[in-house]
Amino acid sequence: MKRHQTLRDLSREHHTALTLALAARRAATSGDSRQLAASAKACGEVFATHLEPHFVVEETTLLPALARAGEQALVARTLREHAALRSLCGELPGGGAATLLRFAELLSAHVRFEERELFEVAQAGLEQ
C-alpha cells in the first residue's frame, strides 16, 4: 500500500520489526539454547536502537494527532501494546523460549495492527 509521506518512514521501519519477530520466533522454537540467547540479545539491541525510537515518534506525533481526531480506542491499544513490548523486552535476558516467543508474536501482531488499522485511519485523516 502506498503510504502518505508522513507515514512512509514509520511504515518502512515495520519491515525491521517483522524481520526481528520472525527470527525470534524461529529461535524460540529451535530448541537451541545458544540460538535462543543470541536472539534474545539481538532483540534487546534492535529494540533499543530501532523500535524504541520508532515508538517514541509514534507516541509524540502520530498518537496525539489521532487522539485529537477522536481515535482514543486506537491510541489506547497502541500505547498498551507499546508498554507490553517494552516489558517483554526487559524480560528477554534469561526469560527463556516462552518469553521470546511471546515477544515475537506480540511484535508481529502489533506491526500488522498498525499497518492495517492505525495507519489506515491516520492516512485517511492526512488525505483530507
PDB file of all heavy atoms in Angstrom, residues 15-54:
ATOM      1  N   HIS A  15       9.237  -3.173   8.579  1.00  0.00           N
ATOM      2  CA  HIS A  15       9.926  -4.323   7.973  1.00  0.00           C
ATOM      3  C   HIS A  15      10.995  -4.853   8.933  1.00  0.00           C
ATOM      4  O   HIS A  15      11.119  -6.069   9.118  1.00  0.00           O
ATOM      5  CB  HIS A  15      10.537  -3.947   6.624  1.00  0.00           C
ATOM      6  CG  HIS A  15      11.322  -5.048   6.022  1.00  0.00           C
ATOM      7  ND1 HIS A  15      10.727  -6.161   5.462  1.00  0.00           N
ATOM      8  CD2 HIS A  15      12.657  -5.243   5.918  1.00  0.00           C
ATOM      9  CE1 HIS A  15      11.672  -6.986   5.032  1.00  0.00           C
ATOM     10  NE2 HIS A  15      12.846  -6.456   5.294  1.00  0.00           N
ATOM     11  N   THR A  16      11.755  -3.952   9.539  1.00  0.00           N
ATOM     12  CA  THR A  16      12.777  -4.357  10.512  1.00  0.00           C
ATOM     13  C   THR A  16      12.130  -5.122  11.663  1.00  0.00           C
ATOM     14  O   THR A  16      12.636  -6.155  12.102  1.00  0.00           O
ATOM     15  CB  THR A  16      13.521  -3.121  11.059  1.00  0.00           C
ATOM     16  OG1 THR A  16      14.174  -2.464   9.972  1.00  0.00           O
ATOM     17  CG2 THR A  16      14.545  -3.503  12.117  1.00  0.00           C
ATOM     18  N   ALA A  17      11.000  -4.629  12.142  1.00  0.00           N
ATOM     19  CA  ALA A  17      10.308  -5.278  13.261  1.00  0.00           C
ATOM     20  C   ALA A  17       9.811  -6.669  12.873  1.00  0.00           C
ATOM     21  O   ALA A  17       9.944  -7.618  13.656  1.00  0.00           O
ATOM     22  CB  ALA A  17       9.154  -4.407  13.729  1.00  0.00           C
ATOM     23  N   LEU A  18       9.250  -6.798  11.677  1.00  0.00           N
ATOM     24  CA  LEU A  18       8.755  -8.117  11.243  1.00  0.00           C
ATOM     25  C   LEU A  18       9.898  -9.104  11.038  1.00  0.00           C
ATOM     26  O   LEU A  18       9.768 -10.286  11.368  1.00  0.00           O
ATOM     27  CB  LEU A  18       7.931  -7.980   9.963  1.00  0.00           C
ATOM     28  CG  LEU A  18       6.568  -7.315  10.135  1.00  0.00           C
ATOM     29  CD1 LEU A  18       5.914  -7.108   8.774  1.00  0.00           C
ATOM     30  CD2 LEU A  18       5.671  -8.115  11.061  1.00  0.00           C
ATOM     31  N   THR A  19      11.009  -8.633  10.524  1.00  0.00           N
ATOM     32  CA  THR A  19      12.185  -9.488  10.349  1.00  0.00           C
ATOM     33  C   THR A  19      12.694  -9.968  11.706  1.00  0.00           C
ATOM     34  O   THR A  19      13.027 -11.140  11.884  1.00  0.00           O
ATOM     35  CB  THR A  19      13.290  -8.736   9.588  1.00  0.00           C
ATOM     36  OG1 THR A  19      12.772  -8.343   8.304  1.00  0.00           O
ATOM     37  CG2 THR A  19      14.527  -9.587   9.389  1.00  0.00           C
ATOM     38  N   LEU A  20      12.741  -9.059  12.668  1.00  0.00           N
ATOM     39  CA  LEU A  20      13.165  -9.404  14.026  1.00  0.00           C
ATOM     40  C   LEU A  20      12.208 -10.423  14.645  1.00  0.00           C
ATOM     41  O   LEU A  20      12.639 -11.403  15.254  1.00  0.00           O
ATOM     42  CB  LEU A  20      13.225  -8.140  14.883  1.00  0.00           C
ATOM     43  CG  LEU A  20      13.690  -8.325  16.322  1.00  0.00           C
ATOM     44  CD1 LEU A  20      15.159  -8.730  16.367  1.00  0.00           C
ATOM     45  CD2 LEU A  20      13.465  -7.039  17.109  1.00  0.00           C
ATOM     46  N   ALA A  21      10.916 -10.202  14.479  1.00  0.00           N
ATOM     47  CA  ALA A  21       9.918 -11.115  15.048  1.00  0.00           C
ATOM     48  C   ALA A  21      10.040 -12.516  14.456  1.00  0.00           C
ATOM     49  O   ALA A  21       9.958 -13.513  15.178  1.00  0.00           O
ATOM     50  CB  ALA A  21       8.509 -10.564  14.820  1.00  0.00           C
ATOM     51  N   LEU A  22      10.260 -12.594  13.164  1.00  0.00           N
ATOM     52  CA  LEU A  22      10.417 -13.905  12.514  1.00  0.00           C
ATOM     53  C   LEU A  22      11.651 -14.631  13.039  1.00  0.00           C
ATOM     54  O   LEU A  22      11.592 -15.822  13.371  1.00  0.00           O
ATOM     55  CB  LEU A  22      10.494 -13.743  10.998  1.00  0.00           C
ATOM     56  CG  LEU A  22      10.689 -15.022  10.197  1.00  0.00           C
ATOM     57  CD1 LEU A  22       9.527 -15.990  10.426  1.00  0.00           C
ATOM     58  CD2 LEU A  22      10.827 -14.691   8.710  1.00  0.00           C
ATOM     59  N   ALA A  23      12.771 -13.926  13.144  1.00  0.00           N
ATOM     60  CA  ALA A  23      13.995 -14.542  13.660  1.00  0.00           C
ATOM     61  C   ALA A  23      13.816 -14.981  15.112  1.00  0.00           C
ATOM     62  O   ALA A  23      14.275 -16.061  15.505  1.00  0.00           O
ATOM     63  CB  ALA A  23      15.163 -13.564  13.539  1.00  0.00           C
ATOM     64  N   ALA A  24      13.125 -14.160  15.903  1.00  0.00           N
ATOM     65  CA  ALA A  24      12.894 -14.512  17.313  1.00  0.00           C
ATOM     66  C   ALA A  24      11.988 -15.731  17.424  1.00  0.00           C
ATOM     67  O   ALA A  24      12.228 -16.615  18.250  1.00  0.00           O
ATOM     68  CB  ALA A  24      12.279 -13.322  18.047  1.00  0.00           C
ATOM     69  N   ARG A  25      10.969 -15.800  16.588  1.00  0.00           N
ATOM     70  CA  ARG A  25      10.065 -16.962  16.606  1.00  0.00           C
ATOM     71  C   ARG A  25      10.848 -18.231  16.266  1.00  0.00           C
ATOM     72  O   ARG A  25      10.677 -19.270  16.912  1.00  0.00           O
ATOM     73  CB  ARG A  25       8.921 -16.755  15.613  1.00  0.00           C
ATOM     74  CG  ARG A  25       7.900 -17.888  15.649  1.00  0.00           C
ATOM     75  CD  ARG A  25       6.738 -17.662  14.691  1.00  0.00           C
ATOM     76  NE  ARG A  25       5.916 -16.540  15.129  1.00  0.00           N
ATOM     77  CZ  ARG A  25       5.797 -15.386  14.462  1.00  0.00           C
ATOM     78  NH1 ARG A  25       6.419 -15.205  13.324  1.00  0.00           N
ATOM     79  NH2 ARG A  25       5.025 -14.427  14.929  1.00  0.00           N
ATOM     80  N   ARG A  26      11.683 -18.152  15.253  1.00  0.00           N
ATOM     81  CA  ARG A  26      12.487 -19.321  14.866  1.00  0.00           C
ATOM     82  C   ARG A  26      13.420 -19.749  15.983  1.00  0.00           C
ATOM     83  O   ARG A  26      13.563 -20.944  16.260  1.00  0.00           O
ATOM     84  CB  ARG A  26      13.269 -19.015  13.592  1.00  0.00           C
ATOM     85  CG  ARG A  26      12.404 -18.973  12.363  1.00  0.00           C
ATOM     86  CD  ARG A  26      13.204 -18.657  11.126  1.00  0.00           C
ATOM     87  NE  ARG A  26      12.355 -18.661   9.940  1.00  0.00           N
ATOM     88  CZ  ARG A  26      12.623 -18.024   8.830  1.00  0.00           C
ATOM     89  NH1 ARG A  26      13.740 -17.315   8.712  1.00  0.00           N
ATOM     90  NH2 ARG A  26      11.784 -18.074   7.807  1.00  0.00           N
ATOM     91  N   ALA A  27      14.063 -18.777  16.626  1.00  0.00           N
ATOM     92  CA  ALA A  27      14.983 -19.108  17.722  1.00  0.00           C
ATOM     93  C   ALA A  27      14.221 -19.704  18.899  1.00  0.00           C
ATOM     94  O   ALA A  27      14.679 -20.668  19.520  1.00  0.00           O
ATOM     95  CB  ALA A  27      15.751 -17.863  18.151  1.00  0.00           C
ATOM     96  N   ALA A  28      13.059 -19.140  19.196  1.00  0.00           N
ATOM     97  CA  ALA A  28      12.276 -19.606  20.347  1.00  0.00           C
ATOM     98  C   ALA A  28      11.801 -21.038  20.173  1.00  0.00           C
ATOM     99  O   ALA A  28      11.647 -21.767  21.151  1.00  0.00           O
ATOM    100  CB  ALA A  28      11.082 -18.683  20.569  1.00  0.00           C
ATOM    101  N   THR A  29      11.597 -21.447  18.945  1.00  0.00           N
ATOM    102  CA  THR A  29      11.094 -22.801  18.694  1.00  0.00           C
ATOM    103  C   THR A  29      12.191 -23.761  18.245  1.00  0.00           C
ATOM    104  O   THR A  29      11.905 -24.915  17.944  1.00  0.00           O
ATOM    105  CB  THR A  29       9.966 -22.771  17.639  1.00  0.00           C
ATOM    106  OG1 THR A  29      10.465 -22.200  16.425  1.00  0.00           O
ATOM    107  CG2 THR A  29       8.771 -21.967  18.135  1.00  0.00           C
ATOM    108  N   SER A  30      13.442 -23.288  18.241  1.00  0.00           N
ATOM    109  CA  SER A  30      14.544 -24.106  17.736  1.00  0.00           C
ATOM    110  C   SER A  30      15.011 -25.192  18.704  1.00  0.00           C
ATOM    111  O   SER A  30      15.586 -26.189  18.283  1.00  0.00           O
ATOM    112  CB  SER A  30      15.746 -23.214  17.399  1.00  0.00           C
ATOM    113  OG  SER A  30      16.351 -22.720  18.586  1.00  0.00           O
ATOM    114  N   GLY A  31      14.822 -24.955  19.981  1.00  0.00           N
ATOM    115  CA  GLY A  31      15.352 -25.894  20.968  1.00  0.00           C
ATOM    116  C   GLY A  31      16.844 -25.731  21.195  1.00  0.00           C
ATOM    117  O   GLY A  31      17.452 -26.495  21.946  1.00  0.00           O
ATOM    118  N   ASP A  32      17.458 -24.744  20.583  1.00  0.00           N
ATOM    119  CA  ASP A  32      18.900 -24.492  20.680  1.00  0.00           C
ATOM    120  C   ASP A  32      19.135 -23.332  21.648  1.00  0.00           C
ATOM    121  O   ASP A  32      18.776 -22.190  21.355  1.00  0.00           O
ATOM    122  CB  ASP A  32      19.446 -24.161  19.286  1.00  0.00           C
ATOM    123  CG  ASP A  32      20.935 -23.900  19.260  1.00  0.00           C
ATOM    124  OD1 ASP A  32      21.520 -23.557  20.304  1.00  0.00           O
ATOM    125  OD2 ASP A  32      21.520 -24.014  18.163  1.00  0.00           O
ATOM    126  N   SER A  33      19.730 -23.609  22.792  1.00  0.00           N
ATOM    127  CA  SER A  33      19.907 -22.588  23.823  1.00  0.00           C
ATOM    128  C   SER A  33      20.820 -21.454  23.361  1.00  0.00           C
ATOM    129  O   SER A  33      20.609 -20.296  23.741  1.00  0.00           O
ATOM    130  CB  SER A  33      20.438 -23.203  25.111  1.00  0.00           C
ATOM    131  OG  SER A  33      21.701 -23.792  24.905  1.00  0.00           O
ATOM    132  N   ARG A  34      21.815 -21.754  22.551  1.00  0.00           N
ATOM    133  CA  ARG A  34      22.697 -20.698  22.046  1.00  0.00           C
ATOM    134  C   ARG A  34      21.956 -19.770  21.085  1.00  0.00           C
ATOM    135  O   ARG A  34      22.106 -18.555  21.137  1.00  0.00           O
ATOM    136  CB  ARG A  34      23.940 -21.288  21.381  1.00  0.00           C
ATOM    137  CG  ARG A  34      24.949 -21.802  22.423  1.00  0.00           C
ATOM    138  CD  ARG A  34      26.124 -22.455  21.772  1.00  0.00           C
ATOM    139  NE  ARG A  34      25.637 -23.757  21.276  1.00  0.00           N
ATOM    140  CZ  ARG A  34      26.189 -24.460  20.304  1.00  0.00           C
ATOM    141  NH1 ARG A  34      27.257 -24.019  19.711  1.00  0.00           N
ATOM    142  NH2 ARG A  34      25.679 -25.617  19.933  1.00  0.00           N
ATOM    143  N   GLN A  35      21.135 -20.355  20.226  1.00  0.00           N
ATOM    144  CA  GLN A  35      20.350 -19.562  19.287  1.00  0.00           C
ATOM    145  C   GLN A  35      19.326 -18.699  20.045  1.00  0.00           C
ATOM    146  O   GLN A  35      19.111 -17.538  19.716  1.00  0.00           O
ATOM    147  CB  GLN A  35      19.647 -20.481  18.287  1.00  0.00           C
ATOM    148  CG  GLN A  35      18.963 -19.752  17.159  1.00  0.00           C
ATOM    149  CD  GLN A  35      18.335 -20.706  16.144  1.00  0.00           C
ATOM    150  OE1 GLN A  35      18.480 -21.921  16.224  1.00  0.00           O
ATOM    151  NE2 GLN A  35      17.628 -20.143  15.199  1.00  0.00           N
ATOM    152  N   LEU A  36      18.742 -19.291  21.068  1.00  0.00           N
ATOM    153  CA  LEU A  36      17.782 -18.575  21.898  1.00  0.00           C
ATOM    154  C   LEU A  36      18.437 -17.365  22.575  1.00  0.00           C
ATOM    155  O   LEU A  36      17.901 -16.246  22.526  1.00  0.00           O
ATOM    156  CB  LEU A  36      17.201 -19.525  22.947  1.00  0.00           C
ATOM    157  CG  LEU A  36      16.205 -18.957  23.934  1.00  0.00           C
ATOM    158  CD1 LEU A  36      14.929 -18.538  23.233  1.00  0.00           C
ATOM    159  CD2 LEU A  36      15.912 -19.989  25.007  1.00  0.00           C
ATOM    160  N   ALA A  37      19.582 -17.572  23.176  1.00  0.00           N
ATOM    161  CA  ALA A  37      20.289 -16.487  23.865  1.00  0.00           C
ATOM    162  C   ALA A  37      20.719 -15.397  22.883  1.00  0.00           C
ATOM    163  O   ALA A  37      20.587 -14.201  23.178  1.00  0.00           O
ATOM    164  CB  ALA A  37      21.502 -17.037  24.616  1.00  0.00           C
ATOM    165  N   ALA A  38      21.221 -15.804  21.729  1.00  0.00           N
ATOM    166  CA  ALA A  38      21.655 -14.826  20.723  1.00  0.00           C
ATOM    167  C   ALA A  38      20.476 -14.004  20.216  1.00  0.00           C
ATOM    168  O   ALA A  38      20.581 -12.788  20.023  1.00  0.00           O
ATOM    169  CB  ALA A  38      22.358 -15.532  19.569  1.00  0.00           C
ATOM    170  N   SER A  39      19.354 -14.648  20.017  1.00  0.00           N
ATOM    171  CA  SER A  39      18.178 -13.942  19.530  1.00  0.00           C
ATOM    172  C   SER A  39      17.630 -12.987  20.586  1.00  0.00           C
ATOM    173  O   SER A  39      17.241 -11.859  20.263  1.00  0.00           O
ATOM    174  CB  SER A  39      17.097 -14.930  19.098  1.00  0.00           C
ATOM    175  OG  SER A  39      15.996 -14.241  18.561  1.00  0.00           O
ATOM    176  N   ALA A  40      17.604 -13.411  21.830  1.00  0.00           N
ATOM    177  CA  ALA A  40      17.140 -12.526  22.903  1.00  0.00           C
ATOM    178  C   ALA A  40      18.021 -11.287  22.985  1.00  0.00           C
ATOM    179  O   ALA A  40      17.529 -10.165  23.126  1.00  0.00           O
ATOM    180  CB  ALA A  40      17.125 -13.270  24.235  1.00  0.00           C
ATOM    181  N   LYS A  41      19.325 -11.487  22.860  1.00  0.00           N
ATOM    182  CA  LYS A  41      20.265 -10.358  22.879  1.00  0.00           C
ATOM    183  C   LYS A  41      20.021  -9.450  21.675  1.00  0.00           C
ATOM    184  O   LYS A  41      19.978  -8.225  21.811  1.00  0.00           O
ATOM    185  CB  LYS A  41      21.703 -10.864  22.872  1.00  0.00           C
ATOM    186  CG  LYS A  41      22.719  -9.765  22.948  1.00  0.00           C
ATOM    187  CD  LYS A  41      24.138 -10.284  22.976  1.00  0.00           C
ATOM    188  CE  LYS A  41      25.088  -9.110  23.076  1.00  0.00           C
ATOM    189  NZ  LYS A  41      26.397  -9.395  22.588  1.00  0.00           N
ATOM    190  N   ALA A  42      19.853 -10.025  20.497  1.00  0.00           N
ATOM    191  CA  ALA A  42      19.605  -9.238  19.283  1.00  0.00           C
ATOM    192  C   ALA A  42      18.304  -8.451  19.406  1.00  0.00           C
ATOM    193  O   ALA A  42      18.237  -7.286  19.003  1.00  0.00           O
ATOM    194  CB  ALA A  42      19.568 -10.149  18.061  1.00  0.00           C
ATOM    195  N   CYS A  43      17.281  -9.081  19.974  1.00  0.00           N
ATOM    196  CA  CYS A  43      16.001  -8.377  20.158  1.00  0.00           C
ATOM    197  C   CYS A  43      16.182  -7.163  21.053  1.00  0.00           C
ATOM    198  O   CYS A  43      15.645  -6.088  20.765  1.00  0.00           O
ATOM    199  CB  CYS A  43      14.949  -9.315  20.736  1.00  0.00           C
ATOM    200  SG  CYS A  43      14.292 -10.497  19.542  1.00  0.00           S
ATOM    201  N   GLY A  44      16.922  -7.322  22.124  1.00  0.00           N
ATOM    202  CA  GLY A  44      17.177  -6.192  23.021  1.00  0.00           C
ATOM    203  C   GLY A  44      17.914  -5.068  22.333  1.00  0.00           C
ATOM    204  O   GLY A  44      17.592  -3.889  22.508  1.00  0.00           O
ATOM    205  N   GLU A  45      18.898  -5.431  21.528  1.00  0.00           N
ATOM    206  CA  GLU A  45      19.684  -4.418  20.818  1.00  0.00           C
ATOM    207  C   GLU A  45      18.850  -3.698  19.761  1.00  0.00           C
ATOM    208  O   GLU A  45      18.888  -2.468  19.656  1.00  0.00           O
ATOM    209  CB  GLU A  45      20.918  -5.064  20.185  1.00  0.00           C
ATOM    210  CG  GLU A  45      21.931  -5.518  21.210  1.00  0.00           C
ATOM    211  CD  GLU A  45      23.032  -6.401  20.636  1.00  0.00           C
ATOM    212  OE1 GLU A  45      22.990  -6.758  19.440  1.00  0.00           O
ATOM    213  OE2 GLU A  45      23.948  -6.746  21.420  1.00  0.00           O
ATOM    214  N   VAL A  46      18.108  -4.458  18.976  1.00  0.00           N
ATOM    215  CA  VAL A  46      17.276  -3.846  17.930  1.00  0.00           C
ATOM    216  C   VAL A  46      16.155  -3.028  18.563  1.00  0.00           C
ATOM    217  O   VAL A  46      15.798  -1.963  18.058  1.00  0.00           O
ATOM    218  CB  VAL A  46      16.728  -4.911  16.957  1.00  0.00           C
ATOM    219  CG1 VAL A  46      15.718  -4.314  15.991  1.00  0.00           C
ATOM    220  CG2 VAL A  46      17.875  -5.558  16.183  1.00  0.00           C
ATOM    221  N   PHE A  47      15.629  -3.503  19.664  1.00  0.00           N
ATOM    222  CA  PHE A  47      14.590  -2.741  20.353  1.00  0.00           C
ATOM    223  C   PHE A  47      15.140  -1.370  20.749  1.00  0.00           C
ATOM    224  O   PHE A  47      14.500  -0.341  20.493  1.00  0.00           O
ATOM    225  CB  PHE A  47      14.086  -3.489  21.584  1.00  0.00           C
ATOM    226  CG  PHE A  47      12.819  -2.900  22.130  1.00  0.00           C
ATOM    227  CD1 PHE A  47      11.594  -3.388  21.726  1.00  0.00           C
ATOM    228  CD2 PHE A  47      12.855  -1.853  23.025  1.00  0.00           C
ATOM    229  CE1 PHE A  47      10.413  -2.845  22.206  1.00  0.00           C
ATOM    230  CE2 PHE A  47      11.686  -1.293  23.516  1.00  0.00           C
ATOM    231  CZ  PHE A  47      10.461  -1.784  23.095  1.00  0.00           C
ATOM    232  N   ALA A  48      16.319  -1.357  21.352  1.00  0.00           N
ATOM    233  CA  ALA A  48      16.902  -0.095  21.821  1.00  0.00           C
ATOM    234  C   ALA A  48      17.253   0.853  20.678  1.00  0.00           C
ATOM    235  O   ALA A  48      17.041   2.064  20.790  1.00  0.00           O
ATOM    236  CB  ALA A  48      18.149  -0.381  22.657  1.00  0.00           C
ATOM    237  N   THR A  49      17.758   0.309  19.577  1.00  0.00           N
ATOM    238  CA  THR A  49      18.231   1.181  18.502  1.00  0.00           C
ATOM    239  C   THR A  49      17.187   1.523  17.453  1.00  0.00           C
ATOM    240  O   THR A  49      17.287   2.570  16.810  1.00  0.00           O
ATOM    241  CB  THR A  49      19.444   0.555  17.776  1.00  0.00           C
ATOM    242  OG1 THR A  49      19.062  -0.714  17.233  1.00  0.00           O
ATOM    243  CG2 THR A  49      20.626   0.390  18.717  1.00  0.00           C
ATOM    244  N   HIS A  50      16.182   0.668  17.277  1.00  0.00           N
ATOM    245  CA  HIS A  50      15.193   0.898  16.222  1.00  0.00           C
ATOM    246  C   HIS A  50      13.748   0.994  16.729  1.00  0.00           C
ATOM    247  O   HIS A  50      13.028   1.909  16.335  1.00  0.00           O
ATOM    248  CB  HIS A  50      15.270  -0.214  15.168  1.00  0.00           C
ATOM    249  CG  HIS A  50      16.513  -0.181  14.357  1.00  0.00           C
ATOM    250  ND1 HIS A  50      17.666  -0.818  14.744  1.00  0.00           N
ATOM    251  CD2 HIS A  50      16.787   0.432  13.190  1.00  0.00           C
ATOM    252  CE1 HIS A  50      18.599  -0.608  13.847  1.00  0.00           C
ATOM    253  NE2 HIS A  50      18.104   0.145  12.889  1.00  0.00           N
ATOM    254  N   LEU A  51      13.348   0.050  17.547  1.00  0.00           N
ATOM    255  CA  LEU A  51      11.943   0.004  17.935  1.00  0.00           C
ATOM    256  C   LEU A  51      11.573   1.084  18.945  1.00  0.00           C
ATOM    257  O   LEU A  51      10.532   1.736  18.803  1.00  0.00           O
ATOM    258  CB  LEU A  51      11.577  -1.383  18.466  1.00  0.00           C
ATOM    259  CG  LEU A  51      11.739  -2.532  17.475  1.00  0.00           C
ATOM    260  CD1 LEU A  51      11.380  -3.858  18.114  1.00  0.00           C
ATOM    261  CD2 LEU A  51      10.931  -2.295  16.221  1.00  0.00           C
ATOM    262  N   GLU A  52      12.377   1.270  19.975  1.00  0.00           N
ATOM    263  CA  GLU A  52      12.064   2.309  20.962  1.00  0.00           C
ATOM    264  C   GLU A  52      12.003   3.692  20.300  1.00  0.00           C
ATOM    265  O   GLU A  52      11.035   4.426  20.537  1.00  0.00           O
ATOM    266  CB  GLU A  52      13.065   2.289  22.120  1.00  0.00           C
ATOM    267  CG  GLU A  52      12.766   3.313  23.197  1.00  0.00           C
ATOM    268  CD  GLU A  52      11.419   3.131  23.894  1.00  0.00           C
ATOM    269  OE1 GLU A  52      10.909   1.997  23.983  1.00  0.00           O
ATOM    270  OE2 GLU A  52      10.859   4.145  24.359  1.00  0.00           O
ATOM    271  N   PRO A  53      12.970   4.078  19.473  1.00  0.00           N
ATOM    272  CA  PRO A  53      12.838   5.373  18.793  1.00  0.00           C
ATOM    273  C   PRO A  53      11.583   5.450  17.910  1.00  0.00           C
ATOM    274  O   PRO A  53      10.946   6.506  17.829  1.00  0.00           O
ATOM    275  CB  PRO A  53      14.118   5.477  17.960  1.00  0.00           C
ATOM    276  CG  PRO A  53      15.100   4.604  18.666  1.00  0.00           C
ATOM    277  CD  PRO A  53      14.284   3.474  19.220  1.00  0.00           C
ATOM    278  N   HIS A  54      11.229   4.356  17.269  1.00  0.00           N
ATOM    279  CA  HIS A  54      10.020   4.287  16.451  1.00  0.00           C
ATOM    280  C   HIS A  54       8.789   4.530  17.332  1.00  0.00           C
ATOM    281  O   HIS A  54       7.904   5.316  16.974  1.00  0.00           O
ATOM    282  CB  HIS A  54       9.961   2.907  15.779  1.00  0.00           C
ATOM    283  CG  HIS A  54       8.724   2.615  15.018  1.00  0.00           C
ATOM    284  ND1 HIS A  54       8.630   2.837  13.669  1.00  0.00           N
ATOM    285  CD2 HIS A  54       7.530   2.109  15.407  1.00  0.00           C
ATOM    286  CE1 HIS A  54       7.416   2.478  13.250  1.00  0.00           C
ATOM    287  NE2 HIS A  54       6.730   2.021  14.293  1.00  0.00           N
TER     288      HIS A  54
END
